[in-house]
Amino acid sequence: MDPLSAISVDLAEIDGQISDIFRALSNGFQKLEKIKDSSRQSRQLEELTEKMRECKRLIKEFDREVKEEESKNTADTNRMLGEKKQSMIKELNSYVALKKQYASKLDNNRAELFEGPGNEGHGEENAMMASSMTNQQLMDTGNRMMDETDQAIERSKKVVEDTVNVGADTAAALKAQTEQMSRIVNELDSIHFSIKKASKLVKEIGRQVATDRCIMALLFIIVLGVIAVIIVKLVNPDNKDIRDIPGLGPPAARRLLWDTK
């Protein structure tokens, strides 16, 4: 657990924000060393300067919180907080010195241009260089600089155009994939519905088959009973326990007309 959290949640939060800014400043200056373009260096330096201003504000806020909690803390705790604040200030001052070093280097690089921000200290040198050139040389130099600027703009436009084309192709591919996924989902729904319907139909057929089997078994038992009765009647026709089956009784005796006398 962070020891500052045990003292004050606000102090721990401010300390975390300051640590994040110091980490961003370290990464920013490492990135600045790899940048060759002066305009990009200037923008990067401005961003780092803004972070340092924010860090300074947070350190002041940290100091105010420490003073508010001073009466509640022990002497050791107050000493630890004071040392923490001094280490923050020291680290911030190191980044400020590094920023001044890069700013001075950037101003020296700008001295190579005839015009531009940060070039006030080299006005006499630029004036002497311009006065030593003829009008034609000045025009050629100006045209060359304009051509270089136009080429840079064209390259930037081409990069933007390529980026837009890549974005359009990516969007089209994503749209096609989305439509394909939608079709697959619809097909899966249809298959699921068909499987469910087929399963229901199989269950109905199973019930019908079971019913048919019961009926066939019942008919078979009835037929067996009838056959058994017939066999018993034929074997023992005098058995009075079994009623005569129509059509299976012995033929009745015929009476002749002259027997009536």
mmCIF file of all heavy atoms in Angstrom, residues 11 22 61 82 88 90 110 149 155-156 159 166 175 208 210 214 222 254:
data_model
loop_
_atom_site.group_PDB
_atom_site.id
_atom_site.type_symbol
_atom_site.label_atom_id
_atom_site.label_comp_id
_atom_site.label_asym_id
_atom_site.label_seq_id
_atom_site.Cartn_x
_atom_site.Cartn_y
_atom_site.Cartn_z
ATOM 1 N N LEU A 11 -3.493 13.485 -1.127
ATOM 2 C CA LEU A 11 -2.044 13.532 -1.357
ATOM 3 C C LEU A 11 -1.594 12.393 -2.256
ATOM 4 O O LEU A 11 -0.769 12.581 -3.153
ATOM 5 C CB LEU A 11 -1.307 13.470 -0.011
ATOM 6 C CG LEU A 11 -1.322 14.740 0.849
ATOM 7 C CD1 LEU A 11 -0.635 14.478 2.177
ATOM 8 C CD2 LEU A 11 -0.639 15.889 0.119
ATOM 9 N N PHE A 22 5.805 13.212 -14.791
ATOM 10 C CA PHE A 22 7.252 12.999 -14.880
ATOM 11 C C PHE A 22 7.575 11.886 -15.885
ATOM 12 O O PHE A 22 8.539 11.987 -16.651
ATOM 13 C CB PHE A 22 7.817 12.642 -13.506
ATOM 14 C CG PHE A 22 7.981 13.836 -12.594
ATOM 15 C CD1 PHE A 22 7.909 13.697 -11.215
ATOM 16 C CD2 PHE A 22 8.197 15.099 -13.119
ATOM 17 C CE1 PHE A 22 8.058 14.790 -10.380
ATOM 18 C CE2 PHE A 22 8.351 16.205 -12.290
ATOM 19 C CZ PHE A 22 8.279 16.053 -10.910
ATOM 20 N N GLU A 61 -0.272 22.469 -5.242
ATOM 21 C CA GLU A 61 -1.449 21.888 -4.603
ATOM 22 C C GLU A 61 -1.038 20.850 -3.558
ATOM 23 O O GLU A 61 -1.639 20.755 -2.486
ATOM 24 C CB GLU A 61 -2.339 21.249 -5.668
ATOM 25 C CG GLU A 61 -3.663 20.747 -5.124
ATOM 26 C CD GLU A 61 -4.570 20.238 -6.228
ATOM 27 O OE1 GLU A 61 -4.244 20.462 -7.421
ATOM 28 O OE2 GLU A 61 -5.589 19.604 -5.907
ATOM 29 N N GLY A 82 7.878 16.679 3.492
ATOM 30 C CA GLY A 82 8.737 17.767 3.027
ATOM 31 C C GLY A 82 9.815 17.268 2.083
ATOM 32 O O GLY A 82 10.103 17.906 1.052
ATOM 33 N N MET A 88 10.268 16.324 -5.689
ATOM 34 C CA MET A 88 9.439 16.697 -6.845
ATOM 35 C C MET A 88 9.966 17.970 -7.497
ATOM 36 O O MET A 88 10.086 18.066 -8.729
ATOM 37 C CB MET A 88 7.993 16.899 -6.403
ATOM 38 C CG MET A 88 7.267 15.644 -5.972
ATOM 39 S SD MET A 88 5.597 16.053 -5.396
ATOM 40 C CE MET A 88 4.985 14.423 -4.938
ATOM 41 N N LYS A 90 12.962 19.218 -7.327
ATOM 42 C CA LYS A 90 14.272 18.955 -7.933
ATOM 43 C C LYS A 90 14.122 18.281 -9.287
ATOM 44 O O LYS A 90 14.798 18.650 -10.261
ATOM 45 C CB LYS A 90 15.106 18.086 -6.987
ATOM 46 C CG LYS A 90 16.518 17.829 -7.477
ATOM 47 C CD LYS A 90 17.305 17.019 -6.450
ATOM 48 C CE LYS A 90 18.721 16.738 -6.953
ATOM 49 N NZ LYS A 90 19.504 15.939 -5.969
ATOM 50 N N ARG A 110 17.317 27.728 -36.018
ATOM 51 C CA ARG A 110 16.485 28.679 -36.763
ATOM 52 C C ARG A 110 17.314 29.805 -37.357
ATOM 53 O O ARG A 110 16.864 30.521 -38.250
ATOM 54 C CB ARG A 110 15.422 29.267 -35.832
ATOM 55 C CG ARG A 110 14.291 28.283 -35.499
ATOM 56 C CD ARG A 110 13.383 28.848 -34.457
ATOM 57 N NE ARG A 110 12.244 27.981 -34.200
ATOM 58 C CZ ARG A 110 11.373 28.147 -33.216
ATOM 59 N NH1 ARG A 110 11.540 29.180 -32.374
ATOM 60 N NH2 ARG A 110 10.372 27.325 -33.052
ATOM 61 N N THR A 149 8.712 24.305 -50.736
ATOM 62 C CA THR A 149 7.477 24.311 -49.951
ATOM 63 C C THR A 149 6.343 23.637 -50.703
ATOM 64 O O THR A 149 5.578 22.848 -50.140
ATOM 65 C CB THR A 149 7.084 25.753 -49.601
ATOM 66 O OG1 THR A 149 8.156 26.387 -48.894
ATOM 67 C CG2 THR A 149 5.838 25.772 -48.739
ATOM 68 N N ARG A 155 3.692 16.438 -51.254
ATOM 69 C CA ARG A 155 3.943 15.170 -50.575
ATOM 70 C C ARG A 155 2.929 14.950 -49.447
ATOM 71 O O ARG A 155 2.424 13.833 -49.252
ATOM 72 C CB ARG A 155 5.368 15.136 -50.013
ATOM 73 C CG ARG A 155 6.441 14.978 -51.081
ATOM 74 C CD ARG A 155 7.782 14.622 -50.449
ATOM 75 N NE ARG A 155 8.260 15.664 -49.544
ATOM 76 C CZ ARG A 155 9.044 16.670 -49.920
ATOM 77 N NH1 ARG A 155 9.430 16.776 -51.201
ATOM 78 N NH2 ARG A 155 9.447 17.572 -49.046
ATOM 79 N N SER A 156 2.626 16.036 -48.723
ATOM 80 C CA SER A 156 1.639 15.923 -47.648
ATOM 81 C C SER A 156 0.261 15.582 -48.198
ATOM 82 O O SER A 156 -0.467 14.747 -47.636
ATOM 83 C CB SER A 156 1.575 17.225 -46.851
ATOM 84 O OG SER A 156 2.837 17.535 -46.276
ATOM 85 N N VAL A 159 0.202 11.969 -49.123
ATOM 86 C CA VAL A 159 0.076 11.124 -47.930
ATOM 87 C C VAL A 159 -1.369 11.118 -47.437
ATOM 88 O O VAL A 159 -1.927 10.060 -47.096
ATOM 89 C CB VAL A 159 1.034 11.615 -46.830
ATOM 90 C CG1 VAL A 159 0.749 10.892 -45.521
ATOM 91 C CG2 VAL A 159 2.481 11.382 -47.238
ATOM 92 N N VAL A 166 -6.831 4.375 -48.227
ATOM 93 C CA VAL A 166 -6.715 3.198 -47.350
ATOM 94 C C VAL A 166 -7.912 3.118 -46.408
ATOM 95 O O VAL A 166 -8.472 2.038 -46.176
ATOM 96 C CB VAL A 166 -5.393 3.256 -46.550
ATOM 97 C CG1 VAL A 166 -5.368 2.171 -45.488
ATOM 98 C CG2 VAL A 166 -4.201 3.099 -47.480
ATOM 99 N N LYS A 175 -17.470 -3.263 -44.319
ATOM 100 C CA LYS A 175 -18.883 -3.343 -44.676
ATOM 101 C C LYS A 175 -19.208 -4.689 -45.301
ATOM 102 O O LYS A 175 -20.234 -5.313 -44.987
ATOM 103 C CB LYS A 175 -19.227 -2.208 -45.638
ATOM 104 C CG LYS A 175 -20.703 -2.161 -46.018
ATOM 105 C CD LYS A 175 -20.999 -1.005 -46.938
ATOM 106 C CE LYS A 175 -22.476 -0.971 -47.323
ATOM 107 N NZ LYS A 175 -22.776 0.155 -48.246
ATOM 108 N N GLN A 208 -46.996 -41.428 -33.438
ATOM 109 C CA GLN A 208 -47.908 -42.139 -34.335
ATOM 110 C C GLN A 208 -47.507 -43.601 -34.485
ATOM 111 O O GLN A 208 -48.361 -44.510 -34.481
ATOM 112 C CB GLN A 208 -47.931 -41.459 -35.702
ATOM 113 C CG GLN A 208 -48.585 -40.089 -35.684
ATOM 114 C CD GLN A 208 -48.539 -39.423 -37.043
ATOM 115 O OE1 GLN A 208 -48.001 -39.964 -38.004
ATOM 116 N NE2 GLN A 208 -49.096 -38.218 -37.126
ATOM 117 N N ALA A 210 -45.873 -45.410 -32.310
ATOM 118 C CA ALA A 210 -46.203 -46.097 -31.054
ATOM 119 C C ALA A 210 -47.694 -46.412 -30.990
ATOM 120 O O ALA A 210 -48.102 -47.513 -30.573
ATOM 121 C CB ALA A 210 -45.779 -45.237 -29.879
ATOM 122 N N CYS A 214 -49.542 -50.157 -30.937
ATOM 123 C CA CYS A 214 -50.520 -50.578 -29.933
ATOM 124 C C CYS A 214 -51.779 -51.130 -30.591
ATOM 125 O O CYS A 214 -52.339 -52.164 -30.171
ATOM 126 C CB CYS A 214 -50.872 -49.396 -29.024
ATOM 127 S SG CYS A 214 -49.503 -48.850 -27.953
ATOM 128 N N ILE A 222 -56.859 -59.853 -30.562
ATOM 129 C CA ILE A 222 -58.261 -60.194 -30.885
ATOM 130 C C ILE A 222 -58.322 -61.347 -31.865
ATOM 131 O O ILE A 222 -59.106 -62.302 -31.716
ATOM 132 C CB ILE A 222 -58.985 -58.958 -31.429
ATOM 133 C CG1 ILE A 222 -59.113 -57.885 -30.320
ATOM 134 C CG2 ILE A 222 -60.363 -59.314 -31.971
ATOM 135 C CD1 ILE A 222 -59.653 -56.558 -30.789
ATOM 136 N N ARG A 254 -82.769 -81.118 -41.862
ATOM 137 C CA ARG A 254 -83.822 -80.713 -42.785
ATOM 138 C C ARG A 254 -85.088 -81.529 -42.516
ATOM 139 O O ARG A 254 -85.027 -82.741 -42.267
ATOM 140 C CB ARG A 254 -83.370 -80.915 -44.217
ATOM 141 C CG ARG A 254 -82.227 -79.986 -44.646
ATOM 142 C CD ARG A 254 -81.966 -80.070 -46.129
ATOM 143 N NE ARG A 254 -81.678 -81.449 -46.524
ATOM 144 C CZ ARG A 254 -81.620 -81.843 -47.797
ATOM 145 N NH1 ARG A 254 -81.867 -80.974 -48.772
ATOM 146 N NH2 ARG A 254 -81.360 -83.092 -48.088
#
